[in-house]
Amino acid sequence: MTENTQQQNPATTPELPTQYTPADVEGTLYERWVDRGYFAADAKSEKPPYTIVIPPPNVTGSLHLGHAFEHTLIDALTRRKRMQGFEVLWQPGMDHAGIATQNVVERELAKEGKSRHDLGREEFIERVWKWKGESGGQISGQMRRLGDGVDWSRERFTMDEGLSQAVQTIFKKLYDDELIYRAERIINWCPRCLTAISDIEVEYQDDDGELVSLKYGDGDETVVVATTRAETMLGDTAIAVHPEDARYKHLIGKLIKLPLTDRSIPVVADEHVDPEFGTGCVKVTPAHDPNDFEIGQRHDLPAITVMDEHAVITVPGPFQGLDRLEARSAIVGAMRAEGRVVAEKRPYTHSVGHCSRCKTTVEPRLSMQWWVKVGPLAKAAGDAVRDGKVTIHPQEMEKRYFDWVDNLNDWCISRQLWWGHRIPVWHGPNGEVVCVGPDEQPPTGEGWKQDTDVLDTWFSSGLWPFSTLGWPEETESLAKFYPNSVLVTGYDILFFWVARMMMFGLYAMDGTPPFHTIALHGMVRDQFGKKMSKSFGNAVNPLDWMDKYGSDALRFTLARGANPGVDVPIGEDWVQGSRNFTNKIWNATRFALMNGATVEGELPPAEQLSATDRWILSRLNATVAEVDALYDDYQFAKVSDALFHFAWDEVFDWYVELSKTTFMGGGEAAKVSGRVLGEVLDVTLRLLHPVVPFVTETLWTTLTGRESVVIAEWPSDSGFRDAAAEQEIAALQQAITEVRRFRADQGLQPGQKVPARLTLEGTALAAHEAAIRQLLRLQPEGDAFAATATLPVAGATVALDLSGTIDVAAERKRLAKDLAAAEKEKAQANAKLGNEAFLAKAPDHVVDKIRGRLAKADEDIARIEAQLAALPAA
């Protein structure tokens, strides 16, 4: 444990309200922390750096449970490190969210009866900036509600001037190194957002469609192909078969009439075709399918685009102008009329890609786009983990990371939007292409135009760990705070964001990865483990729970569920339980302050302490060591659980209760216990602070009279252990628990007093008679004492006089009935476990369940027999 050196106020009698009301303190405390600069990071500081970036939320977003969960974990790490003496930078900011933001503003324009084309590009961009200034970034205020200890003075936006310079710099560098190129490829196209989207922005779900088998050609030159997208047949330029498929060898190289058109298409041999699947024939549409595009490249086939950007058919003829779904139905009808529909299956459930933002069905489309050649970048990102430069936690997530970076396709970085970082390339009148860096002048003259596309949002957010620190300038902040100490993020964006940051960080920062550790957490789900969604009706606004139970209660609930890489179920009653915990902390501290708990003066030496005092100090130090080890392993759930049980079970339920007798006695012993209790609360509140900052700040400053727990020193393990005291108090706890259980079994009320004779001499309980009597409501034996029940506990005996308190005959009858039921349960379990035929057939979990029933029955029998033996004779 450590000594705190903050300024202490003059000694006063501290007071706390009788009830903790989070709303009365949270907002005021947070603004005080910010105003006093507790979260500000100093690049000139000589303290060791500790850096974490916030995964930048979308400027269109608002706080959801996933944000609250992730921010709680990051805040806990940074608060602890700040208390440990690190110069902490938790870097805040927001992402410009290209497609999402453009969609928001376009919807506003639509209310006015306008589109972005009515405004033009420049005026539309001005409109977006205006929206950002007025309505964007509400999440910042919500982060304050949660207690995020970010350095607001460093807040960045992916479209601000500095970050825009970083984007242009790295684009130019990649372009000059021939790692950015322009090419016509198949991309995922959203007909609603009217832009290309990357593979990781496509969400797949099972949709009901149709599978239609169609006959191409006639006579001996007939083949049957199956498709779920009949409208693409208008762009077919070949039929592919496997080169070794005997059924079709005679057709390879021949031309087959393409129905509904005036074209004939060749039959090509390609090993990509699976002869065992379907008919073994595949229609090839190079402009509308990624696999077909590859076949087309291998066989030099033409690529015919049959749809425009709105997914409307452009091929001259009867289907021109039809939407793709209308065309699908019309083409199947036309083929049926010609007798070319061989089979139809409806509904046919298959996996279909949808735009992650607007949920429109994605259309594979041949398009000229800008690409990053990821091969060398992805190799470096994989090697950084393999070589130990970067650690992924939990380790089992490494496989998912390697599966991704080792098989990464070139990255389509251009988007057909207006809002975003415009690609810094100018096209000349004669096909010239010039890439312009941030300090270079673009070419001028007639015919020169800047590329109209903007960059994928992940391109700029991939620079986040170093662009926010001033790169490409060699700033003090970059030198101090790069690389990040740890990245805390969900496994769901391991591919979206983490891999991009790894590739760009290693590339731009001379092989230095952007962070030392990647700590991955799971997704927040409802109490039944189901994904939260508005459509499921189970989505929760975390602000509602914070309003109702306080921010600390929400934070503690989320942290207590945070096992590395595992999804987190959460329900309202769990938040309510955490609110009860914060109330328990409050009430126990209030009791302690009313009874002389203090941090004044040195702790008395161990020889002047009672066994109870030595026990709690021993347990306190063990808890400090345990919490430190768990934090270093990112075991947030275990940290929270360890603190919960130490605070509630050991400090509040045992030490405070055991101390009541001492406080009642007064004198020097009460002063010693007050100092020990003050020490225990001081350290416990500091340990709890990173997860529940508001209630601990209020209590700790009241207890200590010091400025703030935010800048208090993190506790350290002094090494003090007292095994003998721990054994002694364990015996005391066992004795009290057993007598309490017996009292409850006899139907005695918790406050009902019972005469008792305690025989404690020579046992670990000898020094604790007063506490035992106080906690168990045991009166001294009187002249008429008659021991009607004797309990052996922890080597001692507790004799109780229950005459007049219970109906012995009725109690024996009740216990006999319970004993018979337990013996019957035991017999049934033994019978099943003794049946070899049953054991041979029953699943392991069923057998284990029966063994558990047997063990429980044995426990019940022993307990009931002991209760019967303890009862007075009838």
Side-chain angles (χ1 to χ4, degrees), residues 562-602:
N563 291 296
V566 179
D567 288 345
V568 183
I570 183 172
E572 184 171 0
D573 41 341
W574 303 344
V575 186
Q576 185 175 354
S578 295
R579 191 271 311 274
N580 294 343
F581 179 50
T582 61
N583 287 343
K584 184 79 169 181
I585 301 170
W586 183 272
N587 293 333
T589 305
R590 185 170 179 272
F591 165 84
L593 291 170
M594 293 169 62
N595 286 275
T598 181
V599 296
E600 294 285 349
E602 297 291 326

Side-chain angles (χ1 to χ4, degrees), residues 337-646:
E338 291 190 5
R340 293 186 177 277
V341 175
V342 177
E344 297 178 74
K345 184 175 182 181
R346 293 191 189 89
Y348 177 70
T349 304
H350 61 133
S351 182
V352 177
H354 295 260
C355 174
S356 61
R357 289 174 177 83
C358 71
K359 312 308 176 187
T360 301
T361 300
V362 167
E363 186 65 41
R365 186 169 187 256
L366 187 64
S367 180
M368 183 67 74
Q369 301 285 345
W370 289 94
W371 304 81
V372 171
K373 188 184 295 182
V374 299
L377 303 175
K379 182 181 185 304
D383 290 346
V385 175
R386 290 188 173 94
D387 297 344
K389 289 182 180 179
V390 178
T391 301
I392 293 180
H393 186 89
Q395 189 175 4
E396 54 265 28
M397 286 287 181
E398 281 187 2
K399 183 179 184 301
R400 295 182 68 171
Y401 177 79
F402 291 136
D403 285 347
W404 180 256
V405 297
D406 292 348
N407 300 285
L408 204 55
N409 296 319
D410 284 0
W411 172 19
C412 177
I413 56 171
S414 47
R415 299 291 181 265
Q416 289 63 57
L417 303 172
W418 286 357
W419 173 245
H421 294 283
R422 196 162 173 182
I423 288 177
V425 169
W426 270 253
H427 301 278
N430 300 310
E432 305 96 329
V433 177
V434 176
C435 181
V436 177
D439 299 321
E440 299 172 350
Q441 291 297 320
T444 58
E446 188 176 350
W448 282 95
K449 292 183 179 179
Q450 186 176 357
D451 198 288
T452 57
D453 289 351
V454 300
L455 287 164
D456 177 11
T457 298
W458 296 104
F459 191 95
S460 51
S461 60
L463 314 181
W464 193 248
F466 53 93
S467 64
T468 52
L469 299 173
W471 186 91
E473 303 299 325
E474 295 180 3
T475 64
E476 284 184 322
S477 291
L478 188 63
K480 178 73 174 179
F481 295 114
Y482 187 90
N484 284 202
S485 306
V486 60
L487 173 74
V488 178
T489 193
Y491 64 72
D492 57 316
I493 58 172
L494 183 62
F495 317 130
F496 282 84
W497 190 44
V498 180
R500 266 87 169 133
M501 287 190 290
M502 285 286 283
M503 291 191 295
F504 281 166
L506 289 160
Y507 174 74
M509 299 301 293
D510 300 320
T512 302
F515 19 74
H516 298 301
T517 301
I518 302 168
L520 298 171
H521 58 73
M523 309 285 287
V524 178
R525 297 182 177 273
D526 71 12
Q527 65 204 69
F528 306 108
K530 189 175 181 179
K531 181 179 177 181
M532 284 192 173
S533 167
K534 290 182 180 178
S535 60
F536 295 156
N538 63 350
V540 173
N541 184 345
L543 295 172
D544 293 341
W545 282 352
M546 286 192 279
D547 289 342
K548 194 171 183 179
Y549 303 111
S551 298
D552 285 335
L554 176 64
R555 289 171 61 115
F556 192 77
T557 305
L558 291 166
R560 203 173 181 192
N563 291 296
V566 179
D567 288 345
V568 183
I570 183 172
E572 184 171 0
D573 41 341
W574 303 344
V575 186
Q576 185 175 354
S578 295
R579 191 271 311 274
N580 294 343
F581 179 50
T582 61
N583 287 343
K584 184 79 169 181
I585 301 170
W586 183 272
N587 293 333
T589 305
R590 185 170 179 272
F591 165 84
L593 291 170
M594 293 169 62
N595 286 275
T598 181
V599 296
E600 294 285 349
E602 297 291 326
L603 273 175
E607 58 269 18
Q608 294 181 20
L609 301 177
S610 69
T612 307
D613 293 335
R614 296 195 307 276
W615 161 72
I616 196 62
L617 291 174
S618 180
R619 289 295 307 128
L620 179 65
N621 277 282
T623 301
V624 170
E626 180 184 10
V627 167
D628 273 334
L630 291 171
Y631 260 124
D632 289 342
D633 197 35
Y634 304 100
Q635 298 281 356
F636 299 99
K638 291 181 180 179
V639 165
S640 303
D641 216 44
L643 288 172
F644 175 87
H645 287 296
F646 174 71

Side-chain angles (χ1 to χ4, degrees), residues 679-696:
E679 179 75 9
V680 171
L681 286 174
D682 169 20
V683 174
T684 301
L685 291 170
R686 281 188 275 154
L687 290 174
L688 282 165
H689 174 72
V691 180
V692 285
F694 295 107
V695 69
T696 52

